[in-house]
Amino acid sequence: MIPYRYLALLCIVSAVVISSAAAESFCGRVETGSSMWLTAGTISTQMGSRFITASADAGTEVFNNVQVGEYAPGIPARGSVSAFIRGRILEDGQIMEFEDTTSVMGEISSFSKNMAYNSKPSSLFC
């Protein structure tokens, strides 16, 4: 049996649910998340969001940045990493859907996935 010095299991999921009772119909859902299983390596994740409060003018934002790197210079991480963002937005009677998933398995020298959603009136950025 091979002894593993480091074992990391990390699952992060962030969801933003957007709705407004304004005269213009607008509601939707955006999710982003990641999962990692490593026997060696370095992990860095950063998540954040900003929600609509009293006014929809400011919009809603969510982001998720995932980085996995070498255990030490020249020694790649070992395991698997997956990151995703998906959404379904209903606006003015139209449905807009998007989804993006990136995965890697085995020896990992570098993995970086930066995902963001920004809702402004009549705008969609992903």
Side-chain angles (χ1 to χ4, degrees):
M1 183 168 157
I2 300 172
Y4 293 134
R5 298 177 84 187
Y6 297 93
L7 179 63
L9 178 59
L10 179 64
C11 294
I12 301 173
V13 176
S14 174
V16 174
V17 179
I18 308 157
S19 63
S20 175
E24 198 170 40
S25 173
F26 182 86
C27 69
R29 181 180 180 104
V30 176
E31 299 174 315
T32 181
S34 59
S35 65
M36 292 140 223
W37 185 89
L38 299 176
T39 57
T42 59
I43 300 170
S44 173
T45 61
Q46 179 185 34
M47 295 183 109
S49 62
R50 180 172 58 101
F51 296 94
I52 297 171
T53 55
S55 169
D57 295 337
T60 301
E61 298 175 313
V62 64
F63 66 90
N64 183 5
N65 302 319
V66 179
Q67 283 80 37
V68 173
E70 296 179 325
Y71 172 70
I75 303 173
R78 290 186 196 100
S80 64
V81 181
S82 181
F84 73 90
I85 186 168
R86 64 179 162 245
R88 180 182 169 121
I89 308 300
L90 307 170
E91 187 172 2
D92 294 332
Q94 295 182 349
I95 299 173
M96 295 178 280
E97 295 181 284
F98 60 90
E99 184 172 348
D100 183 42
T101 301
T102 303
S103 299
V104 66
M105 183 177 6
E107 292 188 347
I108 305 165
S109 295
S110 178
F111 176 92
S112 181
K113 179 81 171 178
N114 301 311
M115 301 159 284
Y117 169 81
N118 182 350
S119 169
K120 300 279 185 191
S122 301
S123 297
L124 173 67
F125 301 100
C126 180

